[in-house]
Amino acid sequence: MFGILKPYPSPLISGRGIDLDFPMLAGCLALLGLGLVMITSASSEVAAVQSGNPLYHMFRHLVYVFLGLVACGATMMVPIATWQRMGFTMLLGAFGLLVLVLVPGIGREVNGSMRWIGFSFFNVQPSEIAKVFVVIYLAGYLVRRQTEVRETWMGFFKPFIVLLPMAALLLMEPDFGATVVMMGAAAAMLFLGGVGLFRFSLMVVLAVVAVFVLVQAQPYRMARLITFTDPWSDQFGSGYQLTQALIAFGRGEWLGVGLGNSVQKQFYLPEAHTDFVFSVLAEELGVVGSLLTIALFVFVTVRALYIGLWAEKAKQFFAAYVAFGLAFLWIGQFLINIGVNVGLLPTKGLTLPFLSYGGSSLVICCACVGLLLRIEWESRTHLGSEEHEFSESDFAEETSHGR
């Protein structure tokens, strides 16, 4: 198999052997390892009752980790120019998946939301795929229409012809969190693409108005907003999840109660191994463990932004926009999930990248890591243009990272 791929060098197969951005890879692997440990701990009680095996979720998560690593490796094999050519096709695929998930009999309903397409032993969450595909498409648009985006209103508004229908499909699931993350990443990419401050400020104002209208449109969203400001007023009703998460933080204190010793995971805190895994982490590892985890997230996201900056300096603008977009997707999910866990934001079902239990989220995160590693490698070796023909002779001599 590797012999077939040999004429097409990649970070995994080149004249220098494995040629990866090891700081980025190490940070992501550390998060994956920490996620596996915390999911094993947070899910043990629930798994023991539901399946009779306390390690049930751990074994499933290991399968997802393996699939994620395969996805990461496969993504690194694909030249960035190929992703750029496939941008529109991927956008159509994203729309198709978001429509399919709403079709009865295909989409699977969980807790009142149609967010998954069910297969025999796993579920696919189309919103996770759609967010990445939108980033890739929008990066291509910013490269093709760079002058138009920077100088005209039409160039600024055209992306929303695509983004708004996709946001509408996400809201029909409903998946308000994914909508906010996708639109936030798109807005950040447009700003970095050169949109003027006035037009960007107008977009922010319109986004705030849209969020206000959407919150007002659904009573359950308004209830969540009111509850989050004072969860103790209804701690056994709408505020139950948040109050239990806050109790977990309080019990953790500085150094935590010890790995595996969480009380809140014992059916007090719902979704302890998915949306609220950070609360269990805080209870077991304390403030110190929580801050170290946050520092690891900051390192990975900042490294992704630097990869985008390096690609931009190498005149590989599509790759740069993709790296920026992926970084902002992670930052958005991270801020929302942590904000919900600590009570700074209304309760919202959004996974924590690399840490939360969830097959689609984990596999897509790993694929994004592969894409970032490919971008870093192409920008460093200056082989990221469609005009350059890859061959092994390009890698005959050893070069240093320089980073």
Side-chain angles (χ1 to χ4, degrees):
M1 176 181 177
F2 290 104
I4 297 174
L5 294 170
K6 203 167 184 179
Y8 306 97
S10 74
L12 294 177
I13 303 173
S14 72
R16 296 188 298 273
I18 297 177
D19 186 21
L20 298 171
D21 179 16
F22 285 103
M24 182 67 176
L25 181 63
C28 294
L29 289 177
L31 286 172
L32 280 175
L34 180 61
L36 178 62
V37 171
M38 292 314 306
I39 286 168
T40 303
S41 175
S43 66
S44 58
E45 302 294 334
V46 174
V49 171
Q50 293 180 347
S51 67
N53 180 5
L55 300 180
Y56 173 77
H57 290 300
M58 185 203 77
F59 289 133
R60 284 181 63 90
H61 192 73
L62 276 173
V63 173
Y64 295 139
V65 169
F66 173 76
L67 293 176
L69 294 176
V70 171
C72 179
T75 307
M76 278 190 278
M77 296 289 185
V78 182
I80 297 302
T82 302
W83 295 105
Q84 187 171 2
R85 288 194 298 269
M86 293 173 57
F88 185 72
T89 303
M90 297 172 79
L91 180 70
L92 294 178
F95 271 108
L97 288 172
L98 292 178
V99 170
L100 278 177
V101 77
L102 298 173
V103 177
I106 297 179
R108 181 186 175 192
E109 184 174 347
V110 179
N111 296 330
S113 299
M114 295 276 286
R115 300 181 187 175
W116 294 268
I117 297 177
F119 292 93
S120 57
F121 63 94
F122 68 98
N123 298 317
V124 174
Q125 191 170 359
S127 61
E128 295 290 338
I129 303 173
K131 287 183 294 187
V132 177
F133 285 6
V134 164
V135 165
I136 292 173
Y137 172 78
L138 188 55
Y141 173 82
L142 291 173
V143 171
R144 293 191 307 272
R145 306 285 184 178
Q146 188 175 60
T147 303
E148 189 178 355
V149 169
R150 293 180 175 181
E151 298 179 0
T152 69
W153 283 92
M154 186 56 66
F156 169 66
F157 281 120
K158 277 182 180 178
F160 292 96
I161 298 174
V162 170
L163 293 171
L164 292 178
M166 187 163 289
L169 288 172
L170 288 171
L171 291 172
M172 290 172 67
E173 295 183 6
D175 195 342
F176 188 68
T179 307
V180 171
V181 169
M182 182 190 74
M183 297 300 285
M189 290 176 68
L190 286 169
F191 182 71
L192 293 175
V195 171
L197 186 60
F198 175 74
R199 281 175 285 166
F200 183 77
S201 301
L202 178 62
M203 177 177 60
V204 171
V205 171
L206 292 175
V208 171
V209 172
V211 169
F212 178 77
V213 171
L214 289 171
V215 169
Q216 293 281 349
Q218 293 291 340
Y220 79 90
R221 290 181 187 144
M222 180 56 69
R224 282 183 176 180
L225 187 61
I226 295 172
T227 302
F228 122 85
T229 58
D230 185 15
W232 303 99
S233 62
D234 188 17
Q235 71 176 98
F236 297 109
S238 56
Y240 178 78
Q241 208 167 18
L242 179 53
T243 55
Q244 296 303 313
L246 293 176
I247 290 172
F249 277 93
R251 293 193 74 253
E253 298 185 349
W254 285 102
L255 299 177
V257 297
L259 188 62
N261 293 329
S262 168
V263 171
Q264 293 304 102
K265 70 182 181 182
Q266 299 178 12
F267 302 97
Y268 291 102
L269 178 61
E271 310 296 339
H273 60 294
T274 55
D275 301 338
F276 284 86
V277 69
F278 190 76
S279 296
V280 177
L281 183 149
E283 183 182 4
E284 296 188 350
L285 304 183
V287 173
V288 174
S290 301
L291 291 178
L292 288 175
T293 302
I294 291 173
L296 198 52
F297 269 112
V298 171
F299 171 77
V300 167
T301 52
V302 170
R303 189 75 179 182
L305 291 173
Y306 266 105
I307 288 174
L309 181 62
W310 295 330
E312 188 175 26
K313 288 181 177 179
K315 308 295 185 183
Q316 298 171 9
F317 297 109
F318 170 79
Y321 290 134
V322 170
F324 291 141
L326 296 179
F328 283 117
L329 285 180
W330 287 352
I331 291 170
Q333 286 192 229
F334 167 71
L335 291 177
I336 291 175
N337 184 278
I338 300 296
V340 167
N341 274 254
V342 301
L344 293 176
L345 293 173
T347 303
K348 195 76 215 82
L350 202 64
T351 58
L352 187 60
F354 299 104
L355 257 69
S356 293
Y357 178 81
S360 296
S361 175
L362 186 66
V363 172
I364 293 299
C365 277
C366 291
C368 291
V369 173
L371 194 52
L372 287 167
L373 292 174
R374 178 81 194 196
I375 291 170
E376 189 276 336
W377 178 78
E378 289 197 5
S379 66
R380 175 161 43 84
T381 55
H382 301 285
L383 293 171
S385 64
E386 290 179 295
E387 293 79 13
H388 191 101
E389 196 69 35
F390 289 140
S391 69
E392 282 296 320
S393 61
D394 292 317
F395 306 93
E397 297 182 0
E398 184 76 24
T399 60
S400 61
H401 264 257
R403 292 172 185 167

